[in-house]
Amino acid sequence: MRSPTASDPYPFANQQQPCLIGGEFLTHGKAFTNINPVNGAVLGTVTEADAALVDRAVQAARAALRGPWGRMSAAERCALLRKVADRIEARFAEFVSAEIADTGKTLKQASSLDIPRGAANFRAYADLALARPSECFETATPDGRGALNYSVHKPVGVVAVIAPWNLPFLLLTWKVAPALACGNTVVAKPSEETPSSATLLAQVMQEVGVPPGVFNLVHGFGPDSTGAALTAHPGVNAIAFTGESATGSAIMKSAAPCVKALSFELGGKNAAIVFADADFDAALAGTMRSVFANTGQVCLCSERVYVERPVYARFVEALAQGARRLTLGGPFEGADMGPLISRGHRDKVLSYYRLAREEGATVVCGGGAPSFGDERDQGAFIEPTILTGLPESARCVREEIFGPVCHVAPFDAEEEVVRMANDTRYGLAAAVWTSNLQRAHRVARQMEVGIAWVNDWFLRDLRTPFGGVKLSGIGREGGAHSLAFFSEPMNICVKL
Ligand code: NAD
Ligand code: 6OD
């Protein structure tokens, strides 16, 4: 697999990105511009699906349920999904080019995480769907003849997949792959900020012969646009959504009249807890990653870091030194950190940097936007930032910022830090750093989150449950949990 170079073209430089509906690429209708966050340049235009186009996509997906796709065996479906993975790998450089053009993320990350995980998602769910067991109970009956009760798994129907911009391809395929593996048809809507890897995926679906209407792609915005039309459409049976908690709440309202099944992976305000007995260097390196990876734009990132008092001052200083050393630049510059996704998002993160000062924070490092004296000044770069000194009630400690920033606070006792870590409306992820095995298990289990890492961060096994509690989501995906969401189990009772 070849990674792109700076001279490789962005795949959609000279054309308007289309929607894919019923096996046809469509470019008519309204279009919006796609901006490169490295330098603010216009990358191209993208077709915006209005309500009529969304309706066509849903009708095409409904029709495809009754077509060849609906008659395929699970083995045939999963063989096609493996071909999708193969084709993503064959077009690896184009996928990486598309992802880094839309997001500005580092070439290293796009090539080692975003695109490989897209292919892995298709392979993993092809394997899991085929290996899925079926239940069968032998039931006693009054006449002594008995009955066999077995279950079959049917598709839910038409699934809407709505994805955010932070890990665009990873998160879209995380839902598209299991939905298709379970025999559903899909209408996918990527974020308006990151349409390009999804358009390439639509091409790949066509190339490997996924039947028309099985995978449909609609581009556009959320409120009053494509997303709202899709979630309200009565022909959609289930919605798998990743994004902000407030958006999840809006989608719930829109889905309520038709009582659609919902799976939500939402925001976080995740804690990292560093005990004094932790391997200092490992905790530091892990926390650097958990705060600054993808410019802090991972839902699992640590925005609250709690450090046991004996190592607090040393840890803050080391973290700040690490942050000051991070280099900022475009994907091909070998930099440690790319820009934020957009100027609009940078305004939001900068408003939190200002708010932190108003709330009385000490800004240990960063706290503003850098100036380069070149085209990057038109981009969405921001300084990695370490804050200390805020009370736990401060908005900067309570609200998700979604940038390269954390607040670091000291603690003295295990019970105290468990209470502080859990004192949040979110509940997505936690990282616990300690060399005390008993404490590791005890503290991890007390975290009110969907996933707690001990002595690591963002170490993934796709078979495990993934999701959040409280404002961080509804339901679990991953492994059998995804198969459960994307299927309707049906009981068949046979009197013997
Ligand atoms: P967002 O909620 O603004 O947008 C996500 C998607 O929803 C986009 O495709 C958008 O167009 C669409 N959308 C927006 N409003 C809509 C509406 N009313 N109806 C239908 N669709 C609508 O989120 P974002 O800014 O793209 O992503 C960042 C957020 O996502 C952060 O809060 C982050 O924590 C969260 N996130 C969570 C997870 C997780 O697994 N829990 C993963 C990644 C990101
Ligand atoms: O690794 C995954 O499967 C996953 N859903 C990660 C989510 C990251 C959030 O930004």
Side-chain angles (χ1 to χ4, degrees):
M1 281 170 289
R2 193 181 65 82
S3 264
T5 62
S7 56
D8 273 328
Y10 163 66
F12 302 104
N14 299 312
Q15 50 169 303
Q16 178 168 315
Q17 286 188 53
C19 296
L20 175 67
I21 294 175
E24 254 186 283
F25 283 107
L26 300 174
T27 50
H28 65 81
K30 282 197 291 187
F32 58 96
T33 47
N34 186 19
I35 304 289
N36 181 348
V38 170
N39 53 18
V42 172
L43 286 163
T45 57
V46 185
T47 306
E48 180 182 351
D50 59 9
L53 222 46
V54 168
D55 180 53
R56 276 177 67 180
V58 175
Q59 303 296 350
R62 281 236 84 75
L65 285 169
R66 300 185 293 272
W69 183 248
R71 294 188 292 275
M72 264 185 206
S73 67
E76 288 169 317
R77 277 199 312 265
C78 292
L80 262 182
L81 296 188
R82 288 202 186 87
K83 284 190 189 164
V84 171
D86 293 344
R87 212 46 214 139
I88 292 168
E89 284 167 355
R91 300 184 62 182
F92 188 76
E94 285 169 88
F95 273 96
V96 173
S97 282
E99 202 78 326
I100 60 184
D102 286 0
T103 59
K105 65 178 66 195
T106 63
L107 177 60
K108 186 173 163 204
Q109 188 198 303
S111 319
S112 62
L113 173 69
D114 297 71
I115 305 307
R117 253 301 294 280
N121 286 339
F122 283 101
R123 288 216 177 88
Y125 284 108
D127 291 348
L128 286 161
L130 279 186
R132 166 194 259 195
S134 185
E135 299 167 313
C136 183
F137 299 97
E138 287 186 46
T139 309
T141 57
D143 61 7
R145 284 162 59 195
L148 275 188
N149 267 298
Y150 66 95
S151 46
V152 291
H153 299 107
K154 294 182 169 180
V156 176
V158 176
V159 174
V161 171
I162 302 183
W165 44 256
N166 62 324
L167 302 172
F169 194 57
L170 186 161
L171 291 171
L172 189 85
T173 53
W174 173 242
K175 295 176 188 307
V176 169
L180 294 181
C182 293
N184 301 285
T185 57
V186 166
V187 180
K189 195 202 88 61
S191 167
E192 59 277 18
E193 305 280 5
T194 52
S196 308
S197 53
T199 305
L200 287 178
L201 179 65
Q203 293 179 357
V204 162
M205 293 283 176
Q206 298 286 91
E207 285 163 7
V208 304
V210 170
V214 171
F215 176 81
N216 304 277
L217 177 67
V218 288
H219 288 296
F221 299 85
D224 306 318
S225 175
T226 320
L230 184 57
T231 55
H233 198 294
V236 168
N237 301 99
I239 302 171
F241 167 73
T242 304
E244 281 190 27
S245 303
T247 310
S249 174
I251 291 177
M252 248 177 138
K253 282 192 201 117
S254 141
C258 295
V259 199
K260 292 172 187 154
L262 300 174
S263 178
F264 281 175
E265 295 177 344
L266 307 176
K269 188 74 183 178
N270 309 302
I273 302 177
V274 180
F275 285 96
D277 62 20
D279 173 334
F280 188 91
D281 293 338
L284 181 65
T287 306
M288 281 294 293
R289 221 160 57 78
S290 78
V291 175
F292 299 118
N294 206 43
T295 318
Q297 303 166 118
V298 181
C299 58
L300 308 160
C301 276
S302 317
E303 290 194 1
R304 297 178 296 142
V305 178
Y306 298 101
V307 184
E308 203 168 2
R309 201 169 304 269
V311 293
Y312 174 75
R314 185 174 157 224
F315 196 86
V316 171
E317 184 43 37
L319 199 60
Q321 261 183 32
R324 283 186 206 106
R325 274 199 295 264
L326 290 175
T327 53
L328 309 188
F332 296 104
E333 291 161 23
D336 300 310
M337 237 176 63
L340 292 171
I341 189 65
S342 63
R343 277 291 181 121
H345 187 52
R346 186 173 80 160
D347 289 345
K348 175 184 158 187
V349 178
L350 284 174
S351 78
Y352 276 103
Y353 287 5
R354 279 193 299 277
L355 178 66
R357 291 188 173 90
E358 285 159 26
E359 289 186 312
T362 301
V363 180
V364 184
C365 69
S371 177
F372 300 99
D374 58 34
E375 62 164 16
R376 289 173 293 178
D377 290 338
Q378 272 66 61
F381 288 91
I382 194 158
E383 289 171 352
T385 295
I386 309 283
L387 308 170
T388 58
L390 287 174
E392 287 296 293
S393 57
R395 280 182 54 201
C396 288
V397 180
R398 306 201 74 76
E399 298 173 13
E400 182 185 51
I401 301 173
F402 219 55
V405 53
C406 69
H407 178 254
V408 196
F411 70 91
D412 296 297
E414 185 180 305
E415 311 79 67
E416 176 198 13
V417 76
V418 166
R419 188 177 36 72
M420 290 197 290
N422 287 337
D423 182 16
T424 166
R425 297 170 72 208
Y426 292 99
L428 189 56
V432 180
W433 297 89
T434 176
S435 57
N436 177 331
L437 196 58
Q438 289 180 352
R439 173 156 40 213
H441 288 288
R442 190 171 58 232
V443 172
R445 203 185 172 92
Q446 289 178 81
M447 294 293 98
E448 294 169 2
V449 295
I451 184 165
W453 280 284
V454 174
N455 296 331
D456 210 327
W457 177 77
F458 206 176
L459 173 65
R460 293 282 290 119
D461 179 328
L462 307 189
R463 296 167 299 183
T464 58
F466 185 91
V469 303
K470 305 186 205 170
L471 272 187
S472 292
I474 299 180
R476 292 293 178 277
E477 294 187 28
H481 304 273
S482 293
L483 301 182
F485 177 73
F486 290 111
S487 312
E488 290 288 5
M490 182 189 171
N491 176 215
I492 297 178
C493 176
V494 182
K495 180 76 185 282
L496 298 174

mmCIF file of all heavy atoms in Angstrom, residues 7 13 23 29 73 76 89 120 128 168 188 192 212 215 221 243 270 280 290 308 339 363-364 376 434 442 463 477:
data_model
loop_
_atom_site.group_PDB
_atom_site.id
_atom_site.type_symbol
_atom_site.label_atom_id
_atom_site.label_comp_id
_atom_site.label_asym_id
_atom_site.label_seq_id
_atom_site.Cartn_x
_atom_site.Cartn_y
_atom_site.Cartn_z
ATOM 1 N N SER A 7 2.657 15.721 -3.846
ATOM 2 C CA SER A 7 2.308 16.041 -5.236
ATOM 3 C C SER A 7 1.120 15.201 -5.739
ATOM 4 O O SER A 7 0.636 15.427 -6.845
ATOM 5 C CB SER A 7 3.509 15.846 -6.148
ATOM 6 O OG SER A 7 3.977 14.538 -5.986
ATOM 7 N N ALA A 13 -10.388 17.167 -7.175
ATOM 8 C CA ALA A 13 -9.959 18.546 -7.417
ATOM 9 C C ALA A 13 -10.794 19.232 -8.486
ATOM 10 O O ALA A 13 -11.136 20.404 -8.360
ATOM 11 C CB ALA A 13 -8.487 18.555 -7.806
ATOM 12 N N GLY A 23 -27.466 3.228 -7.064
ATOM 13 C CA GLY A 23 -26.427 2.823 -8.012
ATOM 14 C C GLY A 23 -26.056 3.891 -9.019
ATOM 15 O O GLY A 23 -25.256 3.650 -9.920
ATOM 16 N N GLY A 29 -28.603 19.623 -8.394
ATOM 17 C CA GLY A 29 -29.051 20.227 -7.139
ATOM 18 C C GLY A 29 -28.034 21.209 -6.603
ATOM 19 O O GLY A 29 -27.110 21.618 -7.285
ATOM 20 N N SER A 73 -26.988 -15.057 0.548
ATOM 21 C CA SER A 73 -26.650 -15.689 1.833
ATOM 22 C C SER A 73 -25.691 -14.757 2.575
ATOM 23 O O SER A 73 -25.037 -13.893 1.965
ATOM 24 C CB SER A 73 -25.977 -17.032 1.587
ATOM 25 O OG SER A 73 -24.716 -16.808 0.983
ATOM 26 N N GLU A 76 -22.291 -14.877 1.063
ATOM 27 C CA GLU A 76 -22.091 -14.072 -0.164
ATOM 28 C C GLU A 76 -21.944 -12.590 0.182
ATOM 29 O O GLU A 76 -21.090 -11.887 -0.370
ATOM 30 C CB GLU A 76 -23.283 -14.269 -1.108
ATOM 31 C CG GLU A 76 -23.318 -15.632 -1.767
ATOM 32 C CD GLU A 76 -24.651 -15.886 -2.472
ATOM 33 O OE1 GLU A 76 -25.724 -15.567 -1.900
ATOM 34 O OE2 GLU A 76 -24.620 -16.405 -3.587
ATOM 35 N N GLU A 89 -7.849 -1.034 0.256
ATOM 36 C CA GLU A 89 -6.386 -1.154 0.349
ATOM 37 C C GLU A 89 -5.735 -0.925 -1.010
ATOM 38 O O GLU A 89 -4.672 -0.315 -1.098
ATOM 39 C CB GLU A 89 -6.017 -2.513 0.938
ATOM 40 C CG GLU A 89 -6.260 -2.502 2.432
ATOM 41 C CD GLU A 89 -6.221 -3.872 3.072
ATOM 42 O OE1 GLU A 89 -6.089 -4.874 2.348
ATOM 43 O OE2 GLU A 89 -6.329 -3.918 4.311
ATOM 44 N N ALA A 120 -10.264 -2.507 7.978
ATOM 45 C CA ALA A 120 -10.395 -3.512 9.064
ATOM 46 C C ALA A 120 -11.850 -3.634 9.513
ATOM 47 O O ALA A 120 -12.301 -4.737 9.860
ATOM 48 C CB ALA A 120 -9.505 -3.125 10.238
ATOM 49 N N LEU A 128 -17.318 -11.531 11.855
ATOM 50 C CA LEU A 128 -18.213 -11.650 13.016
ATOM 51 C C LEU A 128 -19.619 -12.084 12.601
ATOM 52 O O LEU A 128 -20.257 -12.899 13.278
ATOM 53 C CB LEU A 128 -18.287 -10.301 13.754
ATOM 54 C CG LEU A 128 -17.045 -9.940 14.577
ATOM 55 C CD1 LEU A 128 -17.008 -8.445 14.879
ATOM 56 C CD2 LEU A 128 -17.019 -10.745 15.876
ATOM 57 N N PRO A 168 -13.272 10.597 10.004
ATOM 58 C CA PRO A 168 -14.412 10.451 9.099
ATOM 59 C C PRO A 168 -14.607 9.039 8.554
ATOM 60 O O PRO A 168 -15.703 8.484 8.624
ATOM 61 C CB PRO A 168 -14.097 11.421 7.964
ATOM 62 C CG PRO A 168 -13.100 12.377 8.517
ATOM 63 C CD PRO A 168 -12.340 11.658 9.576
ATOM 64 N N ALA A 188 -26.007 6.595 3.899
ATOM 65 C CA ALA A 188 -24.946 7.159 4.735
ATOM 66 C C ALA A 188 -24.826 8.651 4.490
ATOM 67 O O ALA A 188 -24.876 9.102 3.345
ATOM 68 C CB ALA A 188 -23.623 6.470 4.416
ATOM 69 N N GLU A 192 -20.501 17.261 6.593
ATOM 70 C CA GLU A 192 -20.307 18.224 5.499
ATOM 71 C C GLU A 192 -18.848 18.689 5.440
ATOM 72 O O GLU A 192 -18.374 19.164 4.408
ATOM 73 C CB GLU A 192 -21.249 19.422 5.679
ATOM 74 C CG GLU A 192 -21.114 20.213 6.988
ATOM 75 C CD GLU A 192 -21.888 19.590 8.160
ATOM 76 O OE1 GLU A 192 -22.250 18.402 8.074
ATOM 77 O OE2 GLU A 192 -22.109 20.315 9.161
ATOM 78 N N PRO A 212 -27.174 -2.176 -6.673
ATOM 79 C CA PRO A 212 -27.674 -0.798 -6.597
ATOM 80 C C PRO A 212 -28.645 -0.633 -5.431
ATOM 81 O O PRO A 212 -29.484 -1.502 -5.198
ATOM 82 C CB PRO A 212 -28.418 -0.604 -7.926
ATOM 83 C CG PRO A 212 -27.895 -1.662 -8.827
ATOM 84 C CD PRO A 212 -27.391 -2.791 -7.982
ATOM 85 N N PHE A 215 -25.985 0.480 -0.833
ATOM 86 C CA PHE A 215 -25.249 1.549 -0.156
ATOM 87 C C PHE A 215 -25.539 2.846 -0.895
ATOM 88 O O PHE A 215 -25.212 2.988 -2.076
ATOM 89 C CB PHE A 215 -23.740 1.275 -0.166
ATOM 90 C CG PHE A 215 -22.942 2.408 0.429
ATOM 91 C CD1 PHE A 215 -22.797 2.534 1.805
ATOM 92 C CD2 PHE A 215 -22.365 3.378 -0.391
ATOM 93 C CE1 PHE A 215 -22.081 3.586 2.363
ATOM 94 C CE2 PHE A 215 -21.644 4.439 0.161
ATOM 95 C CZ PHE A 215 -21.507 4.536 1.536
ATOM 96 N N PHE A 221 -25.625 19.041 5.034
ATOM 97 C CA PHE A 221 -25.504 19.523 6.411
ATOM 98 C C PHE A 221 -26.491 18.768 7.311
ATOM 99 O O PHE A 221 -27.172 17.843 6.856
ATOM 100 C CB PHE A 221 -25.791 21.029 6.451
ATOM 101 C CG PHE A 221 -24.825 21.810 5.612
ATOM 102 C CD1 PHE A 221 -25.039 21.981 4.237
ATOM 103 C CD2 PHE A 221 -23.678 22.357 6.177
ATOM 104 C CE1 PHE A 221 -24.134 22.685 3.459
ATOM 105 C CE2 PHE A 221 -22.772 23.058 5.402
ATOM 106 C CZ PHE A 221 -23.004 23.228 4.029
ATOM 107 N N GLY A 243 -21.701 11.734 16.989
ATOM 108 C CA GLY A 243 -21.540 13.183 16.932
ATOM 109 C C GLY A 243 -21.793 13.791 18.297
ATOM 110 O O GLY A 243 -21.688 13.114 19.334
ATOM 111 N N ASN A 270 -13.496 13.339 29.064
ATOM 112 C CA ASN A 270 -12.888 12.149 29.655
ATOM 113 C C ASN A 270 -11.767 12.487 30.620
ATOM 114 O O ASN A 270 -11.016 13.435 30.411
ATOM 115 C CB ASN A 270 -12.356 11.269 28.532
ATOM 116 C CG ASN A 270 -13.433 11.042 27.477
ATOM 117 O OD1 ASN A 270 -14.499 10.545 27.782
ATOM 118 N ND2 ASN A 270 -13.161 11.470 26.245
ATOM 119 N N PHE A 280 6.179 6.748 35.274
ATOM 120 C CA PHE A 280 6.018 8.170 34.958
ATOM 121 C C PHE A 280 6.116 8.425 33.452
ATOM 122 O O PHE A 280 5.274 9.112 32.862
ATOM 123 C CB PHE A 280 7.086 8.990 35.709
ATOM 124 C CG PHE A 280 6.897 10.466 35.595
ATOM 125 C CD1 PHE A 280 6.138 11.169 36.528
ATOM 126 C CD2 PHE A 280 7.461 11.182 34.536
ATOM 127 C CE1 PHE A 280 5.946 12.545 36.418
ATOM 128 C CE2 PHE A 280 7.277 12.551 34.420
ATOM 129 C CZ PHE A 280 6.521 13.227 35.363
ATOM 130 N N SER A 290 -3.228 11.020 24.614
ATOM 131 C CA SER A 290 -4.672 11.080 24.876
ATOM 132 C C SER A 290 -5.190 12.520 24.902
ATOM 133 O O SER A 290 -6.384 12.750 24.790
ATOM 134 C CB SER A 290 -5.029 10.328 26.159
ATOM 135 O OG SER A 290 -4.721 11.075 27.310
ATOM 136 N N GLU A 308 -1.770 12.506 41.038
ATOM 137 C CA GLU A 308 -1.588 12.403 42.495
ATOM 138 C C GLU A 308 -0.516 13.395 42.941
ATOM 139 O O GLU A 308 0.517 13.554 42.276
ATOM 140 C CB GLU A 308 -1.220 10.963 42.885
ATOM 141 C CG GLU A 308 -1.563 10.662 44.322
ATOM 142 C CD GLU A 308 -1.474 9.169 44.640
ATOM 143 O OE1 GLU A 308 -1.111 8.368 43.750
ATOM 144 O OE2 GLU A 308 -1.772 8.809 45.794
ATOM 145 N N PRO A 339 -4.111 21.006 11.834
ATOM 146 C CA PRO A 339 -5.030 22.051 12.291
ATOM 147 C C PRO A 339 -6.281 21.436 12.910
ATOM 148 O O PRO A 339 -6.468 20.218 12.853
ATOM 149 C CB PRO A 339 -5.404 22.751 10.978
ATOM 150 C CG PRO A 339 -5.314 21.655 9.951
ATOM 151 C CD PRO A 339 -4.167 20.775 10.383
ATOM 152 N N VAL A 363 -2.607 29.465 32.544
ATOM 153 C CA VAL A 363 -2.329 28.862 31.227
ATOM 154 C C VAL A 363 -0.840 28.492 31.230
ATOM 155 O O VAL A 363 0.025 29.346 31.076
ATOM 156 C CB VAL A 363 -2.672 29.852 30.098
ATOM 157 C CG1 VAL A 363 -2.384 29.222 28.734
ATOM 158 C CG2 VAL A 363 -4.135 30.277 30.195
ATOM 159 N N VAL A 364 -0.550 27.208 31.450
ATOM 160 C CA VAL A 364 0.841 26.770 31.609
ATOM 161 C C VAL A 364 1.566 26.836 30.277
ATOM 162 O O VAL A 364 2.741 27.186 30.206
ATOM 163 C CB VAL A 364 0.895 25.330 32.181
ATOM 164 C CG1 VAL A 364 2.331 24.895 32.436
ATOM 165 C CG2 VAL A 364 0.074 25.230 33.458
ATOM 166 N N ARG A 376 -0.340 28.884 6.177
ATOM 167 C CA ARG A 376 -1.018 28.241 7.301
ATOM 168 C C ARG A 376 -1.784 29.238 8.161
ATOM 169 O O ARG A 376 -2.676 28.864 8.920
ATOM 170 C CB ARG A 376 0.002 27.475 8.157
ATOM 171 C CG ARG A 376 0.533 26.225 7.488
ATOM 172 C CD ARG A 376 1.645 25.598 8.296
ATOM 173 N NE ARG A 376 2.836 26.436 8.321
ATOM 174 C CZ ARG A 376 3.941 26.148 8.991
ATOM 175 N NH1 ARG A 376 4.024 25.045 9.704
ATOM 176 N NH2 ARG A 376 4.994 26.953 8.958
ATOM 177 N N THR A 434 -1.332 3.397 36.710
ATOM 178 C CA THR A 434 -0.852 2.936 38.012
ATOM 179 C C THR A 434 -0.086 1.640 37.822
ATOM 180 O O THR A 434 -0.344 0.899 36.868
ATOM 181 C CB THR A 434 -2.021 2.697 38.992
ATOM 182 O OG1 THR A 434 -1.503 2.166 40.219
ATOM 183 C CG2 THR A 434 -3.061 1.718 38.445
ATOM 184 N N ARG A 442 -9.712 -1.954 40.646
ATOM 185 C CA ARG A 442 -10.712 -1.318 41.523
ATOM 186 C C ARG A 442 -11.156 0.035 40.943
ATOM 187 O O ARG A 442 -12.343 0.315 40.836
ATOM 188 C CB ARG A 442 -10.076 -1.132 42.903
ATOM 189 C CG ARG A 442 -11.009 -0.717 43.987
ATOM 190 C CD ARG A 442 -10.315 -0.784 45.343
ATOM 191 N NE ARG A 442 -9.121 0.036 45.416
ATOM 192 C CZ ARG A 442 -7.914 -0.391 45.814
ATOM 193 N NH1 ARG A 442 -7.734 -1.650 46.160
ATOM 194 N NH2 ARG A 442 -6.870 0.435 45.851
ATOM 195 N N ARG A 463 -13.987 -6.460 18.842
ATOM 196 C CA ARG A 463 -15.016 -7.358 19.372
ATOM 197 C C ARG A 463 -15.628 -6.843 20.660
ATOM 198 O O ARG A 463 -16.613 -7.389 21.149
ATOM 199 C CB ARG A 463 -14.408 -8.744 19.631
ATOM 200 C CG ARG A 463 -13.923 -9.422 18.370
ATOM 201 C CD ARG A 463 -13.061 -10.612 18.692
ATOM 202 N NE ARG A 463 -11.862 -10.220 19.440
ATOM 203 C CZ ARG A 463 -10.903 -11.061 19.807
ATOM 204 N NH1 ARG A 463 -10.986 -12.334 19.505
ATOM 205 N NH2 ARG A 463 -9.843 -10.631 20.470
ATOM 206 N N GLU A 477 -21.905 -0.437 20.504
ATOM 207 C CA GLU A 477 -21.554 -1.081 19.241
ATOM 208 C C GLU A 477 -20.254 -1.851 19.489
ATOM 209 O O GLU A 477 -19.751 -1.896 20.589
ATOM 210 C CB GLU A 477 -21.445 -0.043 18.127
ATOM 211 C CG GLU A 477 -22.818 0.584 17.848
ATOM 212 C CD GLU A 477 -22.859 1.512 16.657
ATOM 213 O OE1 GLU A 477 -22.060 1.340 15.724
ATOM 214 O OE2 GLU A 477 -23.703 2.424 16.660
#
